[in-house]
Amino acid sequence: MRYEAPGSLDAATRLLADAEGAARVLAGGTDLLIQMRGDIVEPELLVDIKNIDEMREIAEEQGRFRIGAAVTGMEIMEHEAFNAAWPGIVDGAKLIGSIQIRGRATLGGNLCNASPAADSVPALIAAGAVASVIGPDGRRSAPVEEIATGPGQTSLKTGEIVVSFDLPERPPRSGDAYLRFTPRTEMDIAVVGVGVNLTLDGSGVCSAARVSLGAVAERPLSVEEAAAALVGTRVDDDALAKLSKAASEACRPIDDKRGTKEFRIEVAGVLAERAARIALERAEQR
Amino acid sequence: MATMLKYEDKDLKVVGTRPIRPDGVDKVTGRARYGADINLPGQLYGRVVRSPHAHARVLAIRTDKAEALKGVKAVVTRDDFPEMPVEFAAAGELIVNFRDVTRNMMAREKVLYDGHPVAAVAATSDAVARRAARLIEVDYEVLPHVIDPVQAMAEDAPLLHEEQITEGVDPAPEKPSNLAKVFNFAKGDVEKGFAEADLVIEREFNTKPVHQGYIEPQASLASYTEDGQVEVYTATQGHFVIRAQCAKLLQMDISKIRVIPTELGGGFGGKNNVYLEPLAIVLSRKSNRPVKMTMSREDVFRSTGPTSGAHTRIKIGCRKDGRITAAEAQLDFQAGAFAGSSVPMASMCTFTRYDLENVKVTGNDITVNRPKVAAYRAPGAPISIFGVESILDEMAIELGIDPIELRMRNAAKEGTQTYYGPTFGPIGYEDTLKKALEHPHLKEPLGPDQGRGIATGFWFNIGKETTTTLNVNEDGTVTVILGTIDVAGGSRAAMAMMVAEELGIDVDRVRPQIGDTQALGFNFVTAGSRGTFASGMAVTVAARKAIDTMRERAARTWDVPVDGVVWEDGHARPASSNVGEFEPLSIAEIARKSGMTGGPIAGHAEITAEGAGPGFGTHIVDVEVDRKTGLVKILRYTVIQDTGKAIHPAYVEGQFQGGAVQGIGWALNEEYIYDENGTLQNPGFLDYRVPVASDVPFIGTEIVEVPNPNHPYGVRGIGEVPIIPPIAAISNAIHDAIGIRLREQPMSPPKVLKAIREAGNGAAE
Ligand SMILES: Cc1cc2nc3c(=O)[nH]c(=O)nc-3n(C[C@H](O)[C@H](O)[C@H](O)COP(=O)(O)OP(=O)(O)OC[C@H]3O[C@@H](n4cnc5c(N)ncnc54)[C@H](O)[C@@H]3O)c2cc1C
């Protein structure tokens, strides 16, 4: 097995494009190393992307954030301005593993590992984040919800790397939140995850909203019907009940060791309502 | 003859204090060497090939491709191990049968569970060993399987052992079945008792197998020499029992096997039996190289003992005043692939803590296609008392009697005769109930969807063979070599403290150490909460012998009769002025001159400790139920238990807390999940959910001390009782919170939510 740690995106894409056997991008390794140890993947080439500056930065330009795909959970949690703008994305990053895991785990790795239960992804989708992707054919952009296609499957082509995430401008009176359900308080995997992002107008009416669900389908979903239940309302009990119903209806989960279908469907509705209440409170405070 | 030292009520200087444990620094700095930390020059790496089937006949095993792989030095299969006759031996709290032990460590005719070993390889690297394991080809004839104990007892159930005729029933059945043995315990006349009752409640309960969940996976290293000796480093609760099992299974002399126990990262009953050791020994013998074998967490879950899952039916009758008139139980316990679950002990514990006239308990030991169960902390008791404590809670509500008061009215006390035989001496059950009634926890207000539950538990505790050597070093410090493994509970600290107390010296002048099997005579495994009780008695015997020797040496120095010398505060002193005027001699002075007064000074104990004191505990728990997700949160938890005497109170509290936390995990989330093919779906800590630190509040503890009259310091065993009440206590608390009674473990969110839904639809009581 070969290990490379290039210092530029160019060098990284070239290494991946020229690889003969199986090649993998290595970010924090908190998914990849476990898969290698468990004989699930046996790469011949590892391309470590942690030396590429552009992938390691959190940048803010005119109210828009750009987060490098190799930024770790701890780095995000410690960035004050980002916390103030996107607390819901931080909610997700905060839940990944333990302090030790978050010291290595990256947003890019969480997305590209393509687990339907990845904790940072629903909030990124709800935020309307766009992934910047580079590959042998150059750069392209794709909404985050289009990256994962199924468990362990992505729409990335051979040799493509997610470089960063671009977040839209943050209007005043906006708030976001992510909640997951796990039987344990931590070191667990989401049975259901819900990200909600909303903006209020001057009179307290919801003018824009996005809702995303994790762990209830083959990939994290953006649920327009659920968002529509909030837009134009004061996010009152009635609207929340509609949101809850729409969230449950959007689920297409499986029965597995982590939860039954009926449980996931029901709890998705419960969490959607609870996440929306937190997002609302945050929006009212900004 | 057995050894029993009587309790002496005296002023204590060391016992009852909280010094730092002797193994502490090594553990917090990472220096402590656990099983997998041991390496020898030239060692090979072993891997086990495991069955992917729950039940199959092993038609053929082909190893040639693996053997041809470069770096592979040895392969073993069933052909490398001798057949064993039916022969029973104690291995901790459960009894093993060597015919089964050999089949469990390496399948013979059939594989009986997913994960059952069928072959093992040793190679120059772990990577090669892994590849070689994949090259071993096994032809299986897959058979129908059964994993549920009730289904396993059905007439047409797939049969694990074609020759297994149920024991314990008269007349013996003609046909073989999965029911290995029936245990019956009875006292009085239950029919009469139920007829006298004003209230009779009968319910059924179900629990899943749960794993001991020790942090350290099994790890062993064997080095076999050309002259037929072998050294085995292994992580175990009982190195002498591992040695005995290896000697039997491999037909070797006991003297040729040296087992060196490593630091232990938890066992809880799961490390009393061989798994890797015999495989490593034979691989080493065949390859002439040391062979190291370590289990992955997946191996641990798939092939090492959980405790039984069970179905129980409990019936209790009582009068209006709460006095129980009759109690009956049927316990159906999964033994796993081979007979020998904890059902006999579970049967004896079911109602024991109550003073009852009429009792009948039937325990069924049932073989199913799952790993052979191993002991787990108070084996079986948490399962069998779940139903009893749940029904008592129902009775208390029905009769309008406080649940603690109800238990008081039925409490066993000194003189109570158990339904399995013995009559209790002084015990502290009532004391724990009284403490509970007065506890501030009961006054803590509860909010909506919050509830409080109580439950109580009993465990026998044991003594058995125990050995120790105490050496008084030349400078007057002391080294104690112990035969009893410190299973991480801190027993080394307790032993050093009792020695220091006896000798009258500071505890940091006593260094305790676990001896290997060549250093001491046979010492039973650390099980049955025997460690501090039995080894404490042994070190007391050894210390007193050393004191007698030191008195003799002083007498010789002073030229007085030995009766004229007493031992006080670490010094030999003249017993009175009649003996003469002599300056007291310190232990250091006696030790320094020991070469001239008769030789080095030591004390030994080779004893069978008897008179272990039964342990009782009462638990109080507060929960909050999230009605919309079914999540149960533990808000507050208090453990009250009779310790006899807390030698090191902090480690006693640690045992109370650890037991309660394991019980909380068992109650709320732990379970084995199998698919329809009998394959384990959750062999890892991500999906087998033991609690993490933030899942539990700080567990409050109350130590009750009713001294055990048969121990010099009054010690009872304490390690097992605290895991017994939690499942029942939490179920009772959930009922208090939301009015729904759960009779199935785990009380995990999907199950609680489903029960809430059903109750909403009018289906619940
Ligand atoms: C103990 C533990 C607890 C965990 N708890 C959680 C949890 O609570 N929630 C949760 O969601 N996850 C959890 N995880 C999973 C894991 O930590 C996260 O998914 C993490 O974000 C992965 O990031 P990484 O940088 O370590 O990825 P890596 O392991 O380095 O990579 C993961 C995959 O993505 C690919 N990849 C990485 N970066 C890129 C990129 N920029 N472009 C293209 N492909 C890329 C890799 O090739 C690999 O296939 C846990 C893991 C462990 C070990």
Side-chain angles (χ1 to χ4, degrees), chain A residues 16 23-35 41 46-47 49-50 55 68-73 92-98 101-102 104-115 117-121 152 154 156 160-165 178 180 182 186-190, chain B residues 686:
Chain A
L16 290 167
R24 286 288 162 132
V25 170
L26 173 71
T30 59
D31 280 316
L32 188 56
L33 260 68
I34 288 168
Q35 290 159 8
V41 292
L46 285 185
V47 180
I49 52 168
K50 292 192 288 293
M55 298 191 65
V71 169
T72 68
K94 244 186 210 166
L95 285 168
I96 296 177
S98 56
I101 297 292
R102 288 192 291 274
R104 299 202 60 88
T106 65
L107 285 194
N110 198 221
L111 176 65
C112 298
N113 185 58
S115 157
D119 278 312
S120 69
V121 178
T154 67
L156 297 175
E160 277 191 328
I161 304 173
V162 174
V163 181
S164 57
F165 300 101
Y178 172 76
R180 72 172 183 184
T182 55
E186 51 186 332
M187 301 304 283
D188 211 335
I189 186 163
Chain B
L686 181 57

Coordinates of all heavy atoms in Angstrom, one line a residue, chain A residues 16 23-35 41 46-47 49-50 55 68-73 92-98 101-102 104-115 117-121 152 154 156 160-165 178 180 182 186-190, chain B residues 686, ligand 1:
Chain A
L16 N -4.8 10.6 -7.9 CA -6.0 9.7 -7.9 C -6.3 9.3 -9.3 O -6.7 8.1 -9.5 CB -7.2 10.5 -7.3 CG -7.1 10.7 -5.8 CD1 -8.2 11.8 -5.3 CD2 -7.3 9.4 -5.0
A23 N -7.9 3.3 -5.1 CA -7.3 4.5 -4.4 C -8.4 5.1 -3.5 O -9.6 5.1 -3.8 CB -6.8 5.5 -5.4
R24 N -7.9 5.7 -2.4 CA -8.9 6.4 -1.5 C -8.3 7.7 -1.0 O -7.1 7.8 -0.7 CB -9.1 5.5 -0.3 CG -10.0 4.3 -0.5 CD -11.5 4.7 -0.7 NE -12.1 3.6 -1.4 CZ -13.3 3.2 -0.9 NH1 -13.9 3.7 0.0 NH2 -13.9 2.1 -1.5
V25 N -9.2 8.6 -0.9 CA -8.9 9.9 -0.2 C -8.9 9.6 1.3 O -9.8 8.9 1.8 CB -9.9 11.0 -0.5 CG1 -9.7 12.2 0.3 CG2 -9.9 11.3 -2.0
L26 N -7.8 10.1 2.0 CA -7.8 9.9 3.4 C -7.9 11.3 4.1 O -7.1 12.2 3.8 CB -6.5 9.3 3.9 CG -6.2 9.2 5.4 CD1 -7.1 8.2 6.0 CD2 -4.8 8.9 5.7
A27 N -9.0 11.5 4.8 CA -9.1 12.8 5.6 C -8.7 12.4 7.0 O -7.6 12.1 7.3 CB -10.5 13.3 5.4
G28 N -9.7 12.4 7.9 CA -9.4 12.1 9.3 C -9.2 10.6 9.5 O -8.6 10.2 10.5
G29 N -9.7 9.8 8.6 CA -9.5 8.4 8.7 C -10.4 7.6 9.7 O -10.3 6.4 9.9
T30 N -11.3 8.4 10.3 CA -12.1 7.7 11.4 C -13.2 6.8 10.8 O -13.7 5.9 11.5 CB -12.8 8.8 12.3 OG1 -13.7 9.6 11.5 CG2 -11.8 9.6 13.0
D31 N -13.5 6.9 9.5 CA -14.3 5.9 8.9 C -13.4 4.9 8.1 O -13.5 3.7 8.2 CB -15.3 6.5 7.9 CG -16.5 7.0 8.6 OD1 -17.0 6.3 9.4 OD2 -16.9 8.1 8.2
L32 N -12.4 5.5 7.3 CA -11.6 4.7 6.4 C -10.8 3.7 7.1 O -10.7 2.5 6.7 CB -10.8 5.6 5.6 CG -10.0 5.0 4.4 CD1 -10.9 4.2 3.5 CD2 -9.2 6.1 3.6
L33 N -10.1 4.1 8.2 CA -9.2 3.1 8.9 C -9.9 2.0 9.5 O -9.5 0.8 9.4 CB -8.4 3.9 10.0 CG -7.0 4.2 9.5 CD1 -7.0 5.3 8.4 CD2 -6.1 4.6 10.6
I34 N -11.1 2.3 9.9 CA -11.9 1.2 10.5 C -12.4 0.2 9.4 O -12.3 -1.0 9.6 CB -13.1 1.8 11.3 CG1 -12.6 2.4 12.5 CG2 -14.2 0.7 11.6 CD1 -13.6 3.3 13.3
Q35 N -12.7 0.8 8.2 CA -13.1 -0.1 7.1 C -11.9 -0.9 6.7 O -12.0 -2.1 6.3 CB -13.7 0.7 6.0 CG -15.0 1.3 6.3 CD -15.4 2.5 5.5 OE1 -14.7 2.9 4.6 NE2 -16.5 3.2 5.9
V41 N -12.5 -2.4 2.9 CA -11.8 -1.9 1.8 C -10.3 -2.2 1.9 O -9.8 -2.2 3.0 CB -11.9 -0.3 1.6 CG1 -13.4 0.0 1.3 CG2 -11.5 0.4 2.9
L46 N -3.4 5.6 -0.7 CA -4.1 6.5 0.1 C -3.6 7.9 -0.2 O -2.4 8.1 -0.1 CB -3.8 6.2 1.6 CG -4.5 5.0 2.2 CD1 -4.2 5.0 3.7 CD2 -6.0 5.0 2.0
V47 N -4.5 8.8 -0.5 CA -4.1 10.2 -0.7 C -4.6 11.0 0.4 O -5.8 11.3 0.5 CB -4.6 10.7 -2.1 CG1 -4.2 12.1 -2.3 CG2 -4.1 9.8 -3.2
I49 N -5.3 14.2 2.3 CA -5.6 15.6 1.8 C -5.4 16.7 2.9 O -5.6 17.8 2.7 CB -7.0 15.7 1.3 CG1 -8.0 15.2 2.4 CG2 -7.2 14.9 0.0 CD1 -9.4 15.4 2.1
K50 N -4.8 16.3 4.0 CA -4.8 17.2 5.2 C -3.7 18.3 5.0 O -3.6 19.2 5.7 CB -4.6 16.5 6.5 CG -5.8 15.7 6.9 CD -5.8 15.2 8.3 CE -4.9 14.0 8.5 NZ -5.2 12.8 7.8
M55 N -8.3 23.2 1.7 CA -9.2 22.3 2.3 C -9.3 22.3 3.8 O -10.1 21.7 4.4 CB -8.9 20.8 1.8 CG -9.0 20.6 0.4 SD -8.9 18.9 -0.1 CE -10.4 18.2 0.6
G68 N -13.5 24.4 4.4 CA -12.8 23.4 3.7 C -13.3 22.0 4.1 O -13.7 21.8 5.2
A69 N -13.2 21.0 3.1 CA -13.8 19.7 3.4 C -13.0 18.9 4.4 O -13.4 18.0 5.0 CB -13.9 18.9 2.1
A70 N -11.7 19.4 4.6 CA -10.8 18.7 5.6 C -10.8 19.4 6.9 O -9.9 19.1 7.8 CB -9.4 18.4 5.0
V71 N -11.7 20.3 7.1 CA -11.8 21.0 8.5 C -12.4 20.0 9.4 O -13.3 19.3 9.1 CB -12.7 22.3 8.4 CG1 -13.0 22.8 9.7 CG2 -11.9 23.3 7.5
T72 N -11.8 19.9 10.6 CA -12.3 18.9 11.6 C -13.5 19.5 12.4 O -13.7 20.7 12.5 CB -11.2 18.5 12.6 OG1 -10.9 19.6 13.4 CG2 -10.0 18.0 11.9
G73 N -14.2 18.5 13.0 CA -15.3 18.9 13.9 C -14.9 19.8 15.0 O -15.6 20.8 15.3
G92 N -24.6 19.4 14.6 CA -24.3 18.1 13.9 C -22.9 17.7 14.1 O -22.6 16.6 14.5
A93 N -21.9 18.7 13.9 CA -20.5 18.3 14.0 C -20.2 17.9 15.5 O -19.4 17.0 15.7 CB -19.7 19.6 13.6
K94 N -20.8 18.6 16.4 CA -20.6 18.3 17.8 C -21.0 16.9 18.2 O -20.5 16.4 19.2 CB -21.6 19.3 18.6 CG -20.9 20.3 19.5 CD -22.0 21.0 20.3 CE -21.6 22.4 20.6 NZ -22.7 23.2 21.0
L95 N -21.9 16.3 17.5 CA -22.4 15.0 17.9 C -21.5 13.9 17.4 O -21.7 12.7 17.8 CB -23.8 14.8 17.3 CG -24.9 15.6 18.1 CD1 -26.2 15.6 17.3 CD2 -25.2 15.0 19.5
I96 N -20.6 14.2 16.5 CA -19.8 13.1 15.9 C -18.8 12.5 17.0 O -18.0 13.3 17.4 CB -19.1 13.6 14.7 CG1 -20.1 13.9 13.6 CG2 -18.1 12.5 14.2 CD1 -19.5 14.5 12.3
G97 N -19.0 11.3 17.3 CA -18.1 10.6 18.2 C -17.8 11.3 19.5 O -18.7 11.8 20.1
S98 N -16.5 11.3 19.8 CA -16.1 11.9 21.1 C -15.1 13.0 20.7 O -14.8 13.3 19.6 CB -15.3 10.8 21.9 OG -14.3 10.3 21.0
I101 N -12.4 11.7 18.5 CA -12.9 11.5 17.1 C -13.0 12.8 16.4 O -12.6 13.0 15.3 CB -14.2 10.7 17.1 CG1 -14.0 9.3 17.7 CG2 -14.8 10.6 15.7 CD1 -13.2 8.3 17.0
R102 N -13.7 13.8 17.1 CA -13.9 15.1 16.4 C -12.6 15.8 16.1 O -12.6 16.7 15.3 CB -14.8 15.9 17.3 CG -16.2 15.5 17.3 CD -17.1 16.5 18.0 NE -16.9 16.6 19.4 CZ -17.5 15.9 20.3 NH1 -18.3 14.9 20.0 NH2 -17.2 16.1 21.6
R104 N -10.3 14.6 14.7 CA -9.8 14.1 13.4 C -10.9 14.1 12.3 O -10.6 14.4 11.1 CB -9.3 12.7 13.5 CG -8.1 12.6 14.4 CD -7.2 11.4 14.1 NE -6.7 11.3 12.8 CZ -5.5 11.8 12.5 NH1 -4.8 12.5 13.3 NH2 -5.1 11.7 11.2
A105 N -12.1 13.8 12.7 CA -13.2 13.7 11.8 C -13.5 15.0 11.0 O -13.6 16.0 11.6 CB -14.5 13.2 12.5
T106 N -13.7 14.9 9.7 CA -13.9 16.0 8.9 C -15.3 16.0 8.3 O -16.0 15.0 8.2 CB -12.9 16.1 7.7 OG1 -13.2 15.0 6.8 CG2 -11.5 16.0 8.2
L107 N -15.8 17.2 7.9 CA -17.1 17.3 7.3 C -17.1 16.6 5.9 O -18.1 15.9 5.6 CB -17.5 18.8 7.0 CG -17.9 19.7 8.2 CD1 -18.5 21.0 7.7 CD2 -18.8 18.9 9.1
G108 N -16.0 16.7 5.2 CA -15.9 16.1 3.9 C -16.0 14.6 4.0 O -16.7 13.9 3.3
G109 N -15.3 14.1 5.0 CA -15.3 12.6 5.3 C -16.7 12.1 5.7 O -17.1 11.1 5.2
N110 N -17.3 12.9 6.5 CA -18.7 12.5 7.0 C -19.6 12.4 5.8 O -20.4 11.5 5.7 CB -19.1 13.6 8.0 CG -20.3 13.1 8.8 OD1 -21.2 13.9 9.1 ND2 -20.3 11.9 9.3
L111 N -19.5 13.4 4.8 CA -20.4 13.4 3.7 C -20.0 12.3 2.7 O -20.8 11.5 2.2 CB -20.3 14.7 2.9 CG -21.0 14.8 1.6 CD1 -22.5 14.7 1.9 CD2 -20.7 16.2 0.9
C112 N -18.7 12.1 2.4 CA -18.2 11.2 1.4 C -18.2 9.8 1.8 O -18.2 8.8 1.0 CB -16.9 11.6 0.8 SG -16.9 13.2 0.1
N113 N -18.3 9.5 3.1 CA -18.4 8.1 3.6 C -19.8 7.6 3.2 O -20.1 6.4 3.2 CB -18.2 8.1 5.1 CG -18.2 6.7 5.6 OD1 -17.4 5.9 5.2 ND2 -19.1 6.4 6.6
A114 N -20.7 8.6 3.0 CA -22.1 8.3 2.5 C -22.9 7.4 3.4 O -23.6 6.5 2.9 CB -22.0 7.8 1.1
S115 N -22.7 7.6 4.7 CA -23.7 6.9 5.6 C -25.0 7.7 5.6 O -25.0 8.9 5.7 CB -23.1 6.9 7.0 OG -24.1 6.7 8.0
A117 N -26.8 8.0 7.9 CA -26.9 8.5 9.3 C -25.9 9.6 9.6 O -25.8 10.0 10.8 CB -26.9 7.4 10.3
A118 N -25.1 10.0 8.7 CA -24.0 11.0 8.9 C -24.6 12.2 9.6 O -25.6 12.8 9.1 CB -23.3 11.3 7.6
D119 N -24.0 12.6 10.7 CA -24.7 13.6 11.5 C -24.5 15.1 11.0 O -25.3 15.9 11.4 CB -24.1 13.6 13.0 CG -24.9 12.5 13.8 OD1 -26.1 12.5 13.7 OD2 -24.2 11.7 14.4
S120 N -23.4 15.3 10.3 CA -23.2 16.8 9.9 C -24.0 17.1 8.6 O -24.1 18.2 8.2 CB -21.8 17.1 9.7 OG -21.2 16.4 8.6
V121 N -24.5 16.0 7.9 CA -25.0 16.2 6.6 C -26.4 16.9 6.6 O -26.6 17.8 5.8 CB -25.0 14.9 5.8 CG1 -25.6 15.1 4.4 CG2 -23.5 14.4 5.6
G152 N -22.8 4.2 1.4 CA -21.4 4.0 0.9 C -21.2 4.4 -0.6 O -20.2 4.2 -1.2
T154 N -21.5 7.4 -3.7 CA -21.6 8.8 -3.9 C -21.7 9.1 -5.4 O -21.5 8.2 -6.2 CB -20.4 9.6 -3.4 OG1 -19.3 9.3 -4.2 CG2 -20.2 9.4 -1.9
L156 N -19.7 11.1 -6.8 CA -18.4 11.6 -7.2 C -17.8 10.6 -8.2 O -18.0 9.4 -8.1 CB -17.5 11.6 -6.0 CG -17.8 12.6 -4.9 CD1 -16.9 12.5 -3.7 CD2 -17.8 14.0 -5.4
E160 N -12.5 12.3 -8.1 CA -13.0 13.5 -7.7 C -12.9 13.7 -6.2 O -13.0 12.7 -5.4 CB -14.5 13.7 -8.1 CG -14.6 14.2 -9.5 CD -16.1 14.6 -9.8 OE1 -17.0 14.0 -9.3 OE2 -16.2 15.5 -10.7
I161 N -12.6 14.9 -5.8 CA -12.5 15.3 -4.3 C -13.5 16.4 -4.0 O -13.6 17.3 -4.8 CB -11.1 15.7 -4.0 CG1 -10.0 14.7 -4.5 CG2 -10.9 16.1 -2.5 CD1 -8.6 15.2 -4.3
V162 N -14.1 16.3 -2.9 CA -14.9 17.5 -2.4 C -13.9 18.4 -1.7 O -13.2 18.0 -0.8 CB -16.0 17.0 -1.4 CG1 -16.7 18.3 -0.8 CG2 -17.0 16.1 -2.1
V163 N -13.8 19.6 -2.2 CA -12.8 20.6 -1.7 C -13.4 21.4 -0.6 O -12.7 21.6 0.4 CB -12.4 21.5 -2.9 CG1 -11.4 22.5 -2.4 CG2 -11.9 20.8 -4.1
S164 N -14.6 21.9 -0.7 CA -15.1 22.8 0.3 C -16.6 22.9 0.2 O -17.2 22.4 -0.8 CB -14.5 24.2 0.2 OG -14.8 24.7 -1.1
F165 N -17.2 23.5 1.2 CA -18.7 23.7 1.2 C -18.9 25.2 1.2 O -18.4 25.9 2.1 CB -19.3 23.1 2.5 CG -19.1 21.6 2.5 CD1 -18.1 21.1 3.4 CD2 -19.8 20.8 1.8 CE1 -17.9 19.7 3.4 CE2 -19.6 19.4 1.8 CZ -18.6 18.9 2.7
Y178 N -30.0 21.1 14.5 CA -30.0 19.7 14.1 C -30.2 18.9 15.4 O -29.6 19.1 16.4 CB -28.6 19.3 13.5 CG -28.5 17.8 13.3 CD1 -29.1 17.1 12.2 CD2 -27.7 17.0 14.1 CE1 -29.1 15.8 12.0 CE2 -27.6 15.6 13.9 CZ -28.3 15.0 12.9 OH -28.2 13.7 12.7
R180 N -30.7 14.7 16.7 CA -30.7 13.3 16.3 C -31.3 12.5 17.4 O -31.3 12.9 18.6 CB -29.3 12.7 15.9 CG -28.4 12.5 17.2 CD -27.1 11.8 16.8 NE -26.3 11.6 18.0 CZ -25.1 11.1 18.0 NH1 -24.5 10.8 16.9 NH2 -24.5 10.9 19.2
T182 N -30.8 9.0 19.4 CA -30.0 7.8 19.7 C -30.4 7.3 21.1 O -30.7 8.1 21.9 CB -28.5 8.2 19.7 OG1 -28.2 9.2 20.7 CG2 -27.9 8.6 18.4
E186 N -24.3 9.6 23.7 CA -23.2 9.9 22.8 C -22.6 8.6 22.4 O -23.0 7.5 22.8 CB -22.1 10.8 23.4 CG -21.6 10.4 24.8 CD -20.7 11.4 25.4 OE1 -20.0 12.2 24.7 OE2 -20.6 11.5 26.6
M187 N -21.6 8.6 21.5 CA -20.9 7.5 20.9 C -22.0 6.5 20.4 O -22.0 5.3 20.7 CB -20.1 6.7 22.0 CG -19.0 7.6 22.6 SD -17.9 8.2 21.4 CE -16.9 6.8 21.0
D188 N -22.9 7.1 19.6 CA -24.0 6.3 19.0 C -24.2 6.7 17.6 O -23.7 7.7 17.2 CB -25.2 6.4 19.9 CG -26.1 5.2 19.9 OD1 -26.0 4.4 19.0 OD2 -26.8 5.0 20.9
I189 N -25.1 6.0 16.9 CA -25.3 6.3 15.5 C -26.8 6.7 15.4 O -27.7 6.1 16.0 CB -24.9 5.2 14.6 CG1 -25.1 5.6 13.2 CG2 -25.7 3.9 14.9 CD1 -24.3 4.6 12.2
A190 N -27.1 7.8 14.6 CA -28.4 8.3 14.6 C -29.4 7.3 14.1 O -29.2 6.6 13.1 CB -28.5 9.5 13.7
Chain B
L686 N -20.9 -0.4 18.9 CA -21.7 0.6 18.3 C -23.2 0.2 18.4 O -24.1 1.1 18.7 CB -21.3 0.9 16.9 CG -22.1 2.0 16.1 CD1 -22.0 3.3 16.9 CD2 -21.5 2.1 14.7
Ligands
LIG1 C1 -15.9 6.0 17.6 C2 -16.5 6.7 16.4 C3 -17.7 7.4 16.6 C4 -18.3 8.0 15.5 N1 -19.4 8.7 15.8 C5 -20.1 9.3 14.7 C6 -21.2 10.0 14.9 O1 -21.7 10.2 16.1 N2 -21.8 10.6 13.9 C7 -21.3 10.5 12.6 O2 -21.9 11.0 11.7 N3 -20.2 9.8 12.4 C8 -19.6 9.2 13.4 N4 -18.4 8.5 13.2 C9 -17.9 8.3 11.8 C10 -16.8 9.3 11.3 O3 -16.1 9.7 12.4 C11 -17.4 10.4 10.6 O4 -18.1 10.0 9.5 C12 -16.3 11.4 10.1 O5 -16.9 12.6 9.8 C13 -15.5 10.9 8.9 O6 -14.5 11.9 8.6 P1 -13.0 11.5 8.4 O7 -12.3 12.8 8.0 O8 -12.5 10.7 9.5 O9 -13.2 10.6 7.1 P2 -12.2 9.5 6.5 O10 -12.4 8.2 7.2 O11 -10.9 10.0 6.2 O12 -13.0 9.3 5.1 C14 -14.3 8.7 5.0 C15 -14.6 8.4 3.5 O13 -14.7 9.6 2.7 C16 -13.7 9.7 1.7 N5 -13.3 11.1 1.8 C17 -12.9 11.8 2.8 N6 -12.7 13.1 2.5 C18 -13.1 13.2 1.2 C19 -13.1 14.3 0.3 N7 -12.8 15.6 0.7 N8 -13.4 14.1 -0.9 C20 -13.8 12.9 -1.4 N9 -13.8 11.8 -0.6 C21 -13.4 12.0 0.7 C22 -12.7 8.7 2.1 O14 -12.0 8.2 1.0 C23 -13.5 7.7 2.8 O15 -14.1 6.8 1.9 C24 -17.8 7.9 14.2 C25 -16.6 7.1 14.1 C26 -16.0 6.5 15.2 C27 -14.7 5.8 15.0

